[in-house]
Amino acid sequence: MSPDEPVQELSRDECRELLKRGELGRLATAAGGESDIFPVNYYSDGDRILIRTAPGTKLLELTVHSAVAFETDGYTDDEAWSVVVHGRARQLDSQAEVDEADQAPLRPWIPTLKYRYVHIDIDALSGRRFLRLPEPER
């Protein structure tokens, strides 16, 4: 990257690595003609995304329409990045799946009971890295 080209498309492998390093993202859903976005903490091994949630709007919307978008990002003093996932979300139902999910390093950030797991299969993955530079002269 250079000041002449301050935006760089990330490779799939770079996106996967950034997903693995992240902890906080936004889950976008759409159901009944309405769209919603929810901040969530998450775990990813780079091939899938796992979130924990409680019964409510988010879980209901995922049951109605499983197509979701997920975004996570980060920044330093010099650069920023964003990774966007499109995929299908489903609640883990079998005890074997829940037992496996319990082994992931995923704990709620707030002291609430979140005992439902949602798994997002990644269909499409894209990302960009940005240099954080002053605005150019007009």
Side-chain angles (χ1 to χ4, degrees):
M1 277 193 317
S2 71
D4 294 334
E5 294 186 29
V7 180
Q8 171 192 10
E9 295 291 322
L10 298 175
S11 70
R12 184 171 178 86
D13 286 341
E14 289 171 310
C15 290
R16 290 177 71 229
E17 284 304 312
L18 289 168
L19 267 178
K20 287 167 41 175
R21 291 190 345 214
E23 294 181 21
L24 182 66
R26 283 154 294 286
L27 177 68
T29 64
E34 297 293 322
S35 57
D36 274 316
I37 192 160
F38 303 93
V40 295
N41 64 304
Y42 75 97
Y43 167 75
S44 178
D45 61 7
D47 293 318
R48 65 188 176 125
I49 296 168
L50 187 64
I51 62 174
R52 285 174 63 178
T53 190
T57 304
K58 182 183 336 141
L59 200 54
L60 178 62
E61 288 182 10
L62 296 175
T63 312
V64 172
H65 190 69
S66 66
V68 297
F70 178 87
E71 191 264 348
T72 187
D73 53 33
Y75 65 93
T76 67
D77 288 342
D78 301 318
E79 65 181 28
W81 56 267
S82 172
V83 172
V84 175
V85 170
H86 290 94
R88 300 265 169 206
R90 66 181 177 86
Q91 181 176 325
L92 299 183
D93 290 320
S94 78
Q95 191 59 51
E97 289 178 314
V98 171
D99 289 345
E100 181 182 341
D102 276 338
Q103 302 307 309
L106 177 60
R107 302 293 173 256
W109 281 16
I110 57 174
T112 58
L113 292 176
K114 294 186 176 186
Y115 52 88
R116 306 287 173 94
Y117 285 100
V118 173
H119 174 274
I120 301 171
D121 288 311
I122 298 171
D123 294 332
L125 183 60
S126 63
R128 298 189 302 171
R129 186 179 312 276
F130 313 93
L131 283 180
R132 297 186 65 201
L133 299 169
E135 181 180 17
E137 294 292 322
R138 293 181 183 225

